[in-house]
Amino acid sequence: MENKILDTAAEMFLNYGFKSVTMDDIANEIGISKKTIYVHYKNKSILVEKTVEYLFHKISAGIEEIRDQEKNPIEEILEIKRFLLYNLKEEKSSPEYQLEKYYPKVYKDVKQKQYCVMSECVVCNLERGLELGLYRKNINTEFISKIYFNSMMALKNKDLFPLNNFSMQMLMNNYLEYHLRGICTEKGLEILNRHQLTNQ
């Protein structure tokens, strides 16, 4: 039952926002009484915290599965983008903004965890790209990994990128092209250009 509650809560929070969804909404969606949820989570704050943890581990495991496939670094980063967009529902309700505003401690904790995972993932991707001659030899991997993380976080800023004007898919597509074209060698650009032609 706990997994069912977390699955449903995660789906609803991502679709409608952490503030907007009530315990009643989640109970109704599952078809159980609200009391059943309170048996496992004594209040909404705890449910939000556990749901965010659950989502973090689910996303991290999915990214690891993609990395284990040992695709070339350019295909790997584009595959991770597709995975994130699918699993985070393109963040159409701006759940991260609501999480930061209404559950700041949970937001701060998960952001730190995200940074650790993304930083390690990006540095490994950059190092493999360098080894394979797909990324330029003079890049600074630590600098680029920090810029990458903070730029990805900035994409979720609805003041900078209002949802009415920018979909998350469009933002991520444009940012990753910007990122890759800045670091790719001619060999890397050939792979990127081929990929874009086949995915138009």
Side-chain angles (χ1 to χ4, degrees), residues 10 40 42 65 82 116 118 138 163 167:
H40 300 283
K42 63 183 180 183
E65 280 181 26
R82 281 192 290 271
C116 291
M118 194 181 286
N138 63 340
L163 284 168
S167 73

Side-chain angles (χ1 to χ4, degrees), residues 133-194:
L134 301 179
Y135 299 155
R136 293 186 290 107
K137 290 192 182 300
N138 63 340
I139 63 174
N140 182 314
T141 55
E142 184 183 2
F143 169 78
I144 290 174
S145 70
K146 289 180 186 297
I147 290 291
Y148 183 90
F149 177 78
N150 284 289
S151 297
M152 290 296 277
M153 292 297 105
L155 296 184
K156 300 170 188 177
N157 183 327
K158 301 311 172 194
D159 292 326
L160 280 176
F161 302 109
L163 284 168
N164 291 338
N165 300 336
F166 303 94
S167 73
M168 186 52 66
Q169 180 165 0
M170 185 269 273
L171 288 171
M172 285 186 77
N173 284 345
N174 278 274
Y175 176 65
L176 284 182
E177 180 168 5
Y178 174 83
H179 167 73
L180 288 168
R181 289 194 181 279
I183 63 173
C184 277
T185 59
E186 288 299 319
K187 183 179 174 184
L189 288 173
E190 284 177 18
I191 293 171
L192 180 60
N193 290 335
R194 276 203 309 272

Side-chain angles (χ1 to χ4, degrees), residues 52-145:
V52 169
E53 258 177 50
Y54 173 78
L55 265 173
F56 173 78
H57 290 299
K58 180 181 174 183
I59 296 295
S60 298
I63 289 172
E64 279 307 305
E65 280 181 26
I66 293 169
R67 292 177 65 191
D68 287 344
Q69 294 169 21
E70 297 189 344
K71 298 172 180 281
N72 79 58
I74 294 168
E75 289 172 347
E76 177 184 90
I77 209 167
L78 295 172
E79 184 62 31
I80 288 172
K81 175 206 73 176
R82 281 192 290 271
F83 170 77
L84 290 174
L85 283 172
Y86 177 78
N87 282 278
L88 296 178
K89 314 295 180 191
E90 297 193 26
E91 300 194 356
K92 55 193 171 200
S93 64
S94 188
E96 188 145 343
Y97 168 78
Q98 290 193 15
L99 188 65
E100 182 179 15
K101 184 172 181 180
Y102 299 106
Y103 303 94
K105 185 182 180 303
V106 177
Y107 174 79
K108 185 178 177 184
D109 290 346
V110 78
K111 188 174 178 184
Q112 184 58 42
K113 290 178 185 174
Q114 283 177 331
Y115 176 74
C116 291
V117 168
M118 194 181 286
S119 180
E120 194 266 340
C121 178
V122 173
V123 168
C124 286
N125 181 280
L126 291 169
E127 288 173 347
R128 285 204 309 118
L130 286 167
E131 286 170 17
L132 295 170
L134 301 179
Y135 299 155
R136 293 186 290 107
K137 290 192 182 300
N138 63 340
I139 63 174
N140 182 314
T141 55
E142 184 183 2
F143 169 78
I144 290 174
S145 70

